[in-house]
Amino acid sequence: MTKNYTVAILGATGAVGTRLLSQLEQSEIPVGQIKLLASKRSAGKQLQFHDQSVVVEEATPASFDGVDIVLASAGGAVSKRLLPEAVKRGAVCVDNTSAFRMDPAVPLVVPEVNASALQKHQGIIANPNCSTIQMVAALKPIYDTAGLKQVVVSTYQAGSGAGQRAIQELDQQAQQHLDGQTMTSEIFPVKGAARHYPLAFNLLPQIDVFEPDGSTHEEWKMVHETKKILLDDMDATAIKVNATCVRVPVVIGHGESVYFEVAHPEKMNPTKMKEVLQQAPGVVVQDDPATQLYPQPINAAGTTATYVGRIRADLENQGGYNLWVVADNLLKGAAANTVAIAATLVKNQWL
Amino acid sequence: MTKNYTVAILGATGAVGTRLLSQLEQSEIPVGQIKLLASKRSAGKQLQFHDQSVVVEEATPASFDGVDIVLASAGGAVSKRLLPEAVKRGAVCVDNTSAFRMDPAVPLVVPEVNASALQKHQGIIANPNCSTIQMVAALKPIYDTAGLKQVVVSTYQAGSGAGQRAIQELDQQAQQHLDGQTMTSEIFPVKGAARHYPLAFNLLPQIDVFEPDGSTHEEWKMVHETKKILLDDMDATAIKVNATCVRVPVVIGHGESVYFEVAHPEKMNPTKMKEVLQQAPGVVVQDDPATQLYPQPINAAGTTATYVGRIRADLENQGGYNLWVVADNLLKGAAANTVAIAATLVKNQWL
């Protein structure tokens, strides 16, 4: 008899939380009972799970009694406080925040890339940053075929990465601009920052806070998460990674211009690259200059694949290649990957 | 006695043309007479030059009789047909199209970078592509100090680069999206292309047509124009250049994420880089993470400088650096640079 799981969603009312619920509905995880947890402010709201109306409860340590799986996306501070409580009560937690990503005891997983890392979990598994997930999904088959020496990525990240209210702010700013009014800003680039700037019809080269070295924390995450996922070591020097993260006035769907040098140029060419990408799980190749086919955020939104196009060799540098990678940052970059991790745990009985 | 020049603007009614007129008003060029030339369709329109109302005339070879300086921005085909006629009549032409840029007899000039190349002109001088101008303005002082081995650039290019009608289309698409309607597209990504896609709230990794090697012509231009300007040789191998060009839903102001390796790492560090950039003509450094100061398109629009920020060393690759470069693509990337070339010719009596 198949076991039915009690699943809790922590942060159920947010931009990612509501998508965790719909992804869970579509997953192969046999859900016996669902618990929707959020802050006191959101408690009492009702959300639909299949044909069942579920009341959102305030998250407390006791909420996790009897829970088998926690899917968390309520911010790093909440995860830090509550997930250890859930683990104490026997739950396995898949966390979409950055709270535990760099903990050596916590696997950082994109299932189609490094599912086997899940086997060593100790109760908490981390979902990588949205911009990292889609990049490693595209790079993994290339890394397996010809190795990687260096990656230089520039991101074009959608406003929804800053949360549900940020989506409304972007729309509001766009309407202000079209009406000839001054755009107002309270969230972008970073909610808690001292200064706010409009994103509509603009570009903001700041995502998350600045590190002492002049990079942003988002850039830091892309460098170190990529290494932890591909090399199982966040400080490894075997692959050099350089990231520039820019917020762009798109609602859903991150774009990435990824330049890289393979370690073994003789093992790779553009045709081969297209082949290994077409065979890669979770990757959809959209690449035909003749018909102007390439990934676009408005087409990726609402789907769970990683789209790759503009595949080409650097004619000036042997072993250098370019890719253009697009994915729905709220699904592939968050909810869908989180649920896919839980489904992999269930399928392999790794809970 | 100072000579007064007869100046003709070819393509006077376009997005760049109107800006050529205002830049000429503000320049030090002593203008005796102004002629505004355009297609038959635009003939008869009136534009203001200082306190004078000037009627736009249809451009024909005879229009250039008695003209000293032609500032051209009416498309490559028009330049190819009419500029040799202007030269025949004794005019010197500064061309903002791509018609003559790769002609070895035609200097390709950003005045603060390679003004001396103007001395060898034979009647036609080319204004580089918008995305190239702002990048070489930022890279030149670094190249002079520590050399350059490799440049990897990803652009974030504004919709206005596709012309006056494209600006209207972007606004219209944004309003359609906000009203919950399907976005319609007739111009983006490329006016004459078979397929059109919305730019509002989207990203289009195609600017200009595709080359046989899978790059776009915009990317090709950035590679070869950069070399012609910095090395005086479009095919030089001394600097490897790799470009990915993406159209973003911004009205005015291109952003560029520029990664590069200097040839002599011992001659450069981030402090030194900031110093040489601060001293560089035409460059304004906006770089202070503590106060969230970095270049943004909405601040650059309407100005003629090249803004540089996010200056940082690649901690994983000695000699590697990142810059974030923003400029008004219609002014610094077009009209202001074109008029600055003409002013340099006049000032040095190189006409």
Side-chain angles (χ1 to χ4, degrees), chain A residues 169-227:
Chain A
E169 181 167 290
L170 174 57
D171 276 3
Q172 191 187 326
Q173 289 170 350
Q175 192 60 64
Q176 287 170 333
H177 170 89
L178 292 170
D179 293 344
Q181 296 169 6
T182 304
M183 295 191 280
T184 54
S185 190
E186 293 175 0
I187 296 176
F188 294 115
V190 178
K191 203 176 162 191
R195 286 175 176 76
H196 297 286
Y197 310 118
L199 178 63
F201 301 100
N202 198 20
L203 301 166
L204 296 173
Q206 180 190 0
I207 301 181
D208 212 330
V209 297
F210 278 100
E211 299 285 326
D213 64 14
S215 68
T216 60
H217 192 55
E218 186 84 354
E219 290 158 359
W220 187 95
K221 283 186 254 182
M222 286 199 81
V223 172
H224 297 286
E225 292 184 15
T226 298
K227 293 177 181 208

Side-chain angles (χ1 to χ4, degrees), chain A residues 206 227 292 294 310 316, chain B residues 197 206 219 227 294 316:
Chain A
Q206 180 190 0
K227 293 177 181 208
Q292 294 172 259
Y294 34 70
R310 301 295 326 275
E316 311 233 313
Chain B
Y197 310 119
Q206 181 190 359
E219 290 158 359
K227 295 176 182 209
Y294 33 69
E316 311 232 313

Side-chain angles (χ1 to χ4, degrees), chain B residues 280-309:
Chain B
V283 171
V284 174
V285 173
Q286 294 182 324
D287 189 28
D288 184 17
T291 60
Q292 296 173 257
L293 178 67
Y294 33 69
Q296 298 177 36
I298 57 171
N299 298 332
T303 75
T304 61
T306 298
Y307 300 90
V308 183

